[in-house]
Every structure is written in C-alpha cells, then in structure tokens.
C-alpha cells in the first residue's frame, strides 16, 4: 500500500488505532530522552509522520484533530499546496546565498507584501529574520536607534520570546525565565487591561489600567527615556487576554504624544488568526512597528519587522541582518502562504471558526456554572484564537489542575489542545484556519466529554 503524502490530500478524520501515545511514539520518546536535553519539553509525545488540513497523523497511524497549529504557525494548514509548490521550486533553484552578500528577489517580494498588508498607508520598510524573538529584539534595536533612548516598556502577562532580551520582556517566570538570569536592563513592566481579573470590574478596566500604566511610565521611568512600548494586541502565552476596548488606543496615543515607538507584537495574532490580517486592526490602531512570525510562512522559520520608513531606516547600514534572515526557501513559502490566505479568504474562515467555538464554549460555561469541582470563569478570544479560563468554584482562584486534566483527557482521545496563562489555568485553541467544520465540531465534542470527566 502506497503511503499518502501529507497536506490537503490527507484524510480529514480522527482515527485512533493505538493508545495515545502509541508504541512507536513511545520508542521515539525514549530515543529523545537519550539524545535531547530535558529542557526541551513536549506537550504530547506523539511523533508526527504526516499532517495536513486539520489533522496530524503519527508514526503509529493515529490521526489526531489539531487544535494547536504548531502554536499558531500552520494557519494555512500543513503542507499547503502553494507553500509546497513555491518552496519546492526555490529549493531546486538555490537554498542560500545570504541576503547581505548576494541578495535575491524573494526577500524583496515578501517585504513588499508585508508593507502592503500591515495597517497604515504611510511609507514602510520590512526587514526579515528567523524567529519571533529575533523580530522583537530587532524592533528594540530599531526603536533605540531612532529615538536615541534606552528604556523599553512591556506589560503584565506579556510574552515576547526566550532569548536574553526577550526573556526580560516576558512576564512569566516558569518555564521561560526561571534560573536563566541576569536579564537585559532598562525593561519596565506596567499593568494591562485584563477584563476578567480587573479588581474594580470589566467596565472600569480600560480606563483604569491605561491610567495606571501611563502614571507608572511617567513617574517611574520618564516618558522622555522610553524608546519603545511593546504589546501583543491579544496576549498569547499570558492566556489569550484581549485587552479591554479602549486600552490599546490610549496607550498608542500616549506613545505618539511622547515620541515613543509603539510596537505591536503580532507574532501569534497575525496572518488571519483573529479574523483580520493583524489583530491591531480591530480598534483601528496603526503601530509604528509590527513584529510578525509564526503564521507568516506555512511552517518554515521566518519573521519580520515592518514599520514606518523613517524609523526602520534609522539603523546604520549593516546594523540589521543575520546569516539566515529571510532565507530564500522560507521567503518562497511565505509568498505561498499569503497566496493561500488571499485565495481562500482565511480571514472569513477564522471568523467562522470563532463563531462556532465561542457559541459552543459559552454553552459549556453555562452548563457547568453550578459545578462543585470547577467553573469556566471566562470564554474569550477572536477568530481562531479562542480560550477558556478555568477557576475553582465560587470565585476566580485559578484551577491549573482542572486545566491539565482536561488537556490530558483530550490528548487521550486524539485532540491536540494547548494550555497557557500566567496561572497555568487557560485552555487555548488555535485550529488551522482550513479545518473543516465537521472536524472542528468533533474536536469540540471531545472537549465537552473531557469536561464531563472532571
């Protein structure tokens, strides 16, 4: 029997032929333990052989429903036709020259696409890198070069990467920062408008959080010392927190009034994930700089900083770049991913996913409102970036144990889900935007059964 390839041709069905993980995955897990450091963790130790659409097929022949997308990377699905075609053609032509040595058209074409797609009609420039953390670090470099200032302001519950500077920018200690210091200096953290957990209630959240943030920046740092304010329009690892409406515009206005570069970290939220090309469009925000990665290239490593031409051009010649930044194969994949997003209108598909998921999850919230073991305290998100926050009954105390139990039950039944949140009590859902509605609803059935087991 000829094995089917991955990609869109893979049968879109959940199929369990062994326990999860199966024996071949367990053998590979043992090899991993002997070859890979324990610091490289694994959410679910099933070893993937093929993937496409909304499923992952492992080495044991199990087909799992994918609600993770490799952490919001395979927005267009695994091995999307245009990504494979364009990347394959480039692979056969050449794999690398280093854009800083002998450049190539693909890099320029991706920059042109990002300059067009990102918010704002001002003149823009784009520089390409490898990872989200690299993009954030380079945004800081560019902002410092442009302003001549050093301080960087970030927010509670934010996540920006695992390098030394981006660990300093990231809020959560475990597992991202613990034991890895000292961290880069001149980083300051201020409150974010977290509606579910704001002490005086959701209605007061945006105004009070913005006032507190501005007050702290003004008094503790000095606005005249701040090079950049960096925020995720929807905070990812922090628990898919959508800041209360009005908060982001207020922070952006403060930045503009004080000559501070406003940076939207769209690494997880970008490329149709929230039902728009970029999440900051929801409130009409036009950032000075946008960092992007993850969904940009259909699974190949690529990231970008896109922004106002006068800011991007502030760095001296040779000050930006890297050996692999804007690799030609990754650039070709990005052009294929953007082609797919346009042709299949993945913004509309993301909005439809959100409509289905939010409806069903809110029904679950109502169903378990009187549970003695847990509560779904909050259901939130936009597009195909959805989360539920689990708490103990009678209040808002985080319930990470229930969260882990639900995730484990889902994994055993062939549904890949991820956890998140500063308190470890958030289930986050990031299905590929090409997932079929039948598969999406089957995944939600599994999730509902997992809750019933608590």
């Amino acid at each position: 029997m000829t094995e089917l390839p991955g990609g869109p041709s893979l049968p879109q069905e959940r199929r369990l032929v062994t326990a999860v993980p199966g024996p071949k995955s367990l053998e590979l897990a043992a090899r991993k333990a002997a070859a890979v450091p324990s610091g490289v963790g694994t959410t679910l130790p099933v070893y993937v052989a093929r993937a496409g659409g909304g499923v992952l097929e492992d080495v044991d022949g199990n087909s799992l429903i994918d609600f993770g997308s490799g952490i919001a990377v395979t927005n267009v699905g695994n091995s999307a036709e245009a990504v494979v075609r364009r990347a394959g053609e480039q692979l056969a032509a050449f794999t690398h020259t280093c854009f800083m040595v002998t450049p190539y058209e693909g890099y320029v074409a991706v920059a042109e696409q990002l300059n067009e797609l990102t918010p704002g009609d001002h003149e823009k420039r784009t520089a390409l890198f490898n990872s989200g953390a690299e993009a954030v670090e380079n945004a800081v470099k560019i902002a410092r070069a442009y302003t001549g200032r050093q301080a960087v302001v970030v927010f509670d519950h934010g996540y920006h990467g695992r390098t030394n500077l981006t660990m300093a920018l990231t809020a959560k200690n475990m597992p991202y920062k613990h034991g890895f210091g000292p961290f880069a200096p001149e980083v300051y953290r201020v409150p974010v408008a977290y509606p579910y957990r704001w002490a005086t209630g959701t209605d007061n959240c945006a105004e009070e959080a913005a006032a507190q943030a501005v007050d702290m920046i003004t008094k503790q740092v000095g606005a005249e010392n701040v090079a950049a304010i960096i925020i995720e329009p929807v905070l990812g690892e922090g628990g898919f927190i959508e800041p209360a409406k009005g908060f982001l515009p207020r922070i952006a206005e403060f930045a503009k009034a004080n000559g501070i570069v406003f940076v939207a970290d769209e690494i997880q939220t970008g490329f149709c994930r929230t039902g728009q090309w970029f999440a900051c469009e929801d409130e009409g925000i036009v950032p000075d700089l946008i960092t992007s990665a993850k969904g940009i290239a259909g699974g190949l490593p690529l990231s970008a900083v896109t922004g106002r031409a006068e800011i991007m051009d502030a760095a001296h010649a040779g000050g930006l770049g890297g050996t692999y930044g804007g690799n030609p194969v990754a650039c070709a994949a990005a052009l294929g991913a953007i082609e797919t997003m346009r042709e299949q209108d993945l913004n509309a598909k993301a909005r439809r996913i959100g409509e289905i998921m939010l409806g069903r999850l809110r029904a679950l919230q109502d169903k378990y409102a009187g549970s003695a073991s847990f509560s779904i305290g909050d259901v939130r998100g936009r597009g195909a970036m959805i989360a539920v926050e689990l708490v103990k009954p009678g209040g808002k105390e985080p319930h990470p144990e229930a969260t882990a139990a639900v995730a484990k039950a889902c994994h055993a039944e062939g549904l890949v889900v991820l956890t998140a949140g500063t308190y470890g009590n958030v289930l986050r859902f990031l299905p590929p935007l090409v997932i079929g509605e039948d598969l999406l609803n089957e995944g939600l059935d599994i999730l509902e059964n997992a809750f019933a087991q608590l």
Side-chain angles (χ1 to χ4, degrees):
M1 180 178 174
T2 303
E3 287 190 342
L4 290 170
S9 64
L10 199 64
Q12 296 298 291
E13 61 182 13
R14 181 176 67 104
R15 181 181 65 254
L16 299 184
V17 297
T18 72
V20 178
K24 292 181 180 179
S25 281
L26 291 174
E27 289 178 12
L28 284 165
R31 288 172 57 188
K32 171 187 178 288
V36 180
S38 57
V40 181
T42 299
T43 297
L44 174 58
V46 296
Y47 282 72
V48 175
R50 284 166 290 278
V55 298
L56 306 171
E57 185 179 302
D58 71 13
V59 291
D60 290 288
N62 299 303
S63 179
L64 288 70
I65 300 173
D66 183 11
F67 274 15
S69 297
I71 317 182
V73 169
T74 55
N75 293 3
V76 297
N78 262 289
S79 299
E81 185 278 328
V83 172
V84 172
R85 170 172 44 82
R86 286 177 177 257
E89 291 170 356
Q90 180 58 55
L91 194 65
F94 62 93
T95 58
H96 175 77
T97 66
C98 185
F99 189 76
M100 299 181 300
V101 178
T102 51
Y104 36 87
E105 183 182 1
Y107 187 119
V108 177
V110 171
E112 289 171 340
Q113 288 286 309
L114 293 179
N115 293 344
E116 176 188 339
L117 289 170
T118 49
D121 56 5
H122 51 275
E123 187 178 359
K124 301 173 194 168
R125 302 282 188 271
T126 290
L128 301 180
F129 306 98
N130 301 290
S131 69
E134 269 192 82
V136 173
E137 290 220 8
N138 278 277
V140 171
K141 287 167 57 176
I142 292 163
R144 285 173 168 166
Y146 177 71
T147 62
R149 306 171 181 177
Q150 294 185 348
V152 178
V153 171
V154 288
F155 292 82
D156 288 340
H157 308 288
Y159 176 87
H160 301 287
R162 295 175 182 258
T163 58
N164 186 266
L165 174 58
T166 57
M167 280 191 294
L169 302 176
T170 291
K172 189 175 180 179
N173 175 51
M174 197 66 176
Y176 306 116
K177 302 169 71 168
H178 186 74
F180 297 143
F183 302 114
E186 287 301 307
V187 173
Y188 301 88
R189 196 173 314 284
V190 297
V192 74
Y194 189 163
Y196 178 65
R197 294 196 171 272
W198 196 255
T200 60
T202 301
D203 291 343
N204 303 316
C205 183
E207 183 178 345
E208 291 181 1
Q212 287 185 24
V214 167
D215 185 65
M216 290 176 68
I217 295 168
T218 303
K219 293 178 179 174
Q220 297 183 27
V221 188
E224 68 277 11
N225 296 317
V226 179
I229 294 175
I230 306 175
I231 190 168
E232 303 158 274
V234 179
L235 284 72
E237 297 290 330
F240 284 20
I241 301 164
E242 186 175 4
K245 299 298 184 189
F247 176 80
L248 289 174
R250 176 73 180 88
I251 298 300
E253 290 164 7
F254 171 78
K256 183 176 181 179
N258 289 276
I260 300 167
V261 176
F262 183 79
V263 183
D265 181 340
E266 293 261 11
I267 287 161
Q268 190 162 171
T269 53
F271 297 98
C272 308
R273 175 52 59 181
T274 65
Q276 295 167 296
W277 282 100
F278 295 93
C280 59
E281 296 175 63
D282 183 66
E283 292 188 87
I285 294 168
V286 179
D288 297 312
L289 302 179
I290 291 182
T291 60
S292 56
K294 289 190 180 289
I296 191 174
L300 275 73
L302 187 70
S303 67
V305 182
T306 302
R308 297 183 182 278
E310 66 273 18
I311 299 176
M312 293 294 294
D313 284 338
H316 56 271
L320 303 177
T323 301
Y324 296 107
N327 170 268
V329 181
C331 286
L335 294 171
I338 293 169
E339 175 186 329
T340 304
M341 292 171 198
R342 290 183 190 276
E343 289 186 353
Q344 298 188 21
D345 193 0
L346 293 191
N347 279 316
K349 291 193 176 182
R351 293 192 294 271
R352 176 59 179 160
I353 289 169
E355 179 184 341
I356 293 170
M357 295 196 80
L358 288 172
R360 291 201 53 181
L361 293 171
R362 285 170 179 153
L364 278 178
Q365 184 180 31
D366 293 340
K367 178 178 179 179
Y368 291 106
S371 170
S373 57
F374 75 99
S375 293
I376 299 178
D378 197 24
V379 176
R380 55 181 179 252
R382 296 205 308 267
M385 188 174 181
I386 305 296
V388 295
E389 180 166 355
L390 303 189
V391 295
K392 295 181 179 179
K396 295 186 178 181
E397 181 181 351
H399 203 337
E401 298 84 4
T403 307
V406 171
K408 183 178 180 181
C410 289
H411 295 164
E413 292 300 317
L415 174 65
V416 178
V417 298
L418 307 175
T419 59
T422 300
Y423 313 107
N425 68 322
V426 174
L427 289 161
R428 56 174 166 167
F429 310 112
L430 293 158
L433 306 184
V434 296
I435 193 170
E437 290 189 15
D438 288 348
L439 208 60
L440 179 66
N441 277 300
E442 184 178 355
L444 291 167
D445 291 342
I446 294 169
L447 179 66
E448 184 168 353
N449 290 334
F451 276 115
Q453 296 174 32
L454 289 180

